[in-house]
Amino acid sequence: MNGASREALAATRERLDALTDNTSVDAAKLAEELAAVTALLDREVSLRRVLTDPAQAGEAKADLATRLLSGQVGGETVDLVSGMVRARWSQSRDLVDAIEELANTADLTAAQKAGALDDVEDELFRFGRITASSAELRAALTDRAATATAKGELLRRLLGGKANPVTERLIVRLVTQPRGRSLEAGLESLSKLAAARRDRMVAVVTSAVPLSDRQKQRLGAVLATLYGRQMHLNLDVDPTVVGGISVRVGDEVINGTIATRLEEASRRLAG
């Protein structure tokens, strides 16, 4: 997002955080309702355009959103969406993207409150690895001819009782409502949102052999110092990384043996 949309999203994130800090607010229910609003505005292009029309007064757009949503979703959701349509958005689609992000963030907040955020992060990563290694599963989940209901049922059979309910909800929404994204891009976006709940970055670490606890701690500490933020490590094992390791942080990839990279990082820190 750029310009006005970026400012509007930043303000909305603050409102969501303030709302979910209230222990009486059901973050999971809020997520479900925001997801329903996302689906509505994704379908109704004309409505989306009206709610983001810069020629219309913000209060008028907020009143319209309130009339449409009252009785369909809770008061917290109505207030959030009404506040969003008062703001200025560079593109109508940006509003829907922002509401979708709020839905996912609310679900991740529910996991964080339950002490399960680490589990959700790891499960999202593992699911991505599973789909990457199974062409048949990926094809079934991305088949445009398959209905959303069929895909949802398949995912619930795969994940039900095996993954955290938040993980299941996030993945089901992503697969059944991809909104033009690839499965990989959607999972990466969810992973970044999960990391942001603790102001952390995500490092995808691929090594030839499993890392010891000491190596994981040391690598995490070095990366956190280098990047200036706490780092969540998503760990994977690939025997083709002979005797070494690959670390990807965002678009940056660091390759080399564990010892060499850690020694180099230590020298950079000392310098």
Side-chain angles (χ1 to χ4, degrees):
M1 294 185 188
N2 295 309
S5 291
R6 183 177 297 178
E7 294 177 8
L9 177 57
T12 302
R13 286 168 174 162
E14 291 181 3
R15 288 197 292 270
L16 178 68
D17 285 342
L19 183 62
T20 53
D21 281 344
N22 188 332
T23 55
S24 66
V25 172
D26 186 339
K29 179 182 177 182
L30 184 62
E32 180 182 0
E33 293 178 347
L34 287 167
V37 175
T38 300
L40 169 66
L41 295 183
D42 206 40
R43 291 193 308 269
E44 303 295 336
V45 178
S46 59
L47 174 61
R48 185 170 78 222
R49 288 174 177 165
V50 170
L51 292 175
T52 56
D53 183 356
Q56 300 295 321
E59 201 59 40
K61 292 184 285 187
D63 288 344
L64 173 59
T66 299
R67 291 197 304 272
L68 288 172
L69 298 178
S70 292
Q72 307 299 316
V73 295
E76 293 90 353
T77 302
V78 172
D79 290 344
L80 271 175
V81 176
S82 297
M84 293 175 77
V85 301
R86 283 190 182 93
R88 188 178 183 88
W89 298 89
S90 303
Q91 300 181 56
S92 63
R93 183 180 173 85
D94 289 348
L95 171 64
V96 191
D97 289 345
I99 298 174
E100 181 185 49
E101 180 184 310
L102 293 192
N104 292 334
T105 300
D107 248 336
L108 291 166
T109 300
Q112 188 174 31
K113 287 183 173 182
L117 186 56
D118 280 343
D119 290 339
V120 171
E121 286 181 284
D122 289 337
E123 288 167 357
L124 288 171
F125 176 71
R126 294 299 169 196
F127 182 79
R129 284 293 181 263
I130 290 170
T131 55
S133 63
S134 173
E136 183 178 1
L137 175 59
R138 188 186 184 285
L141 296 177
T142 59
D143 183 1
R144 294 184 180 183
T147 65
T149 300
K151 293 177 183 178
E153 290 176 352
L154 171 60
L155 285 169
R156 292 183 182 96
R157 289 198 302 270
L158 290 172
L159 301 174
K162 302 172 185 176
N164 186 282
V166 170
T167 307
E168 182 177 340
R169 288 197 297 270
L170 290 170
I171 293 175
V172 168
R173 280 206 299 267
L174 171 62
V175 170
T176 58
Q177 302 174 43
R179 304 189 57 238
R181 294 161 304 196
S182 69
L183 179 59
E184 294 77 12
L187 288 170
E188 183 175 2
S189 177
L190 289 173
S191 181
K192 288 180 179 178
L193 274 181
R197 293 310 305 160
R198 264 193 288 264
D199 193 31
R200 298 186 304 181
M201 296 181 74
V202 176
V204 178
V205 180
T206 306
S207 56
V209 296
L211 302 184
S212 67
D213 288 340
R214 181 182 178 186
Q215 287 172 322
K216 287 184 284 188
Q217 292 170 3
R218 189 178 176 193
L219 180 59
V222 169
L223 290 172
T225 304
L226 287 172
Y227 286 91
R229 293 175 64 183
Q230 187 179 1
M231 193 72 61
H232 176 74
L233 303 184
N234 279 338
L235 303 172
D236 198 19
V237 176
D238 182 354
T240 63
V241 186
V242 181
I245 187 171
S246 171
V247 180
R248 179 169 62 85
V249 180
D251 294 330
E252 183 177 1
V253 178
I254 306 171
N255 293 301
T257 65
I258 296 171
T260 300
R261 295 312 302 175
L262 290 177
E263 287 172 5
E264 180 182 335
S266 298
R267 286 196 300 271
R268 289 170 62 186
L269 292 175

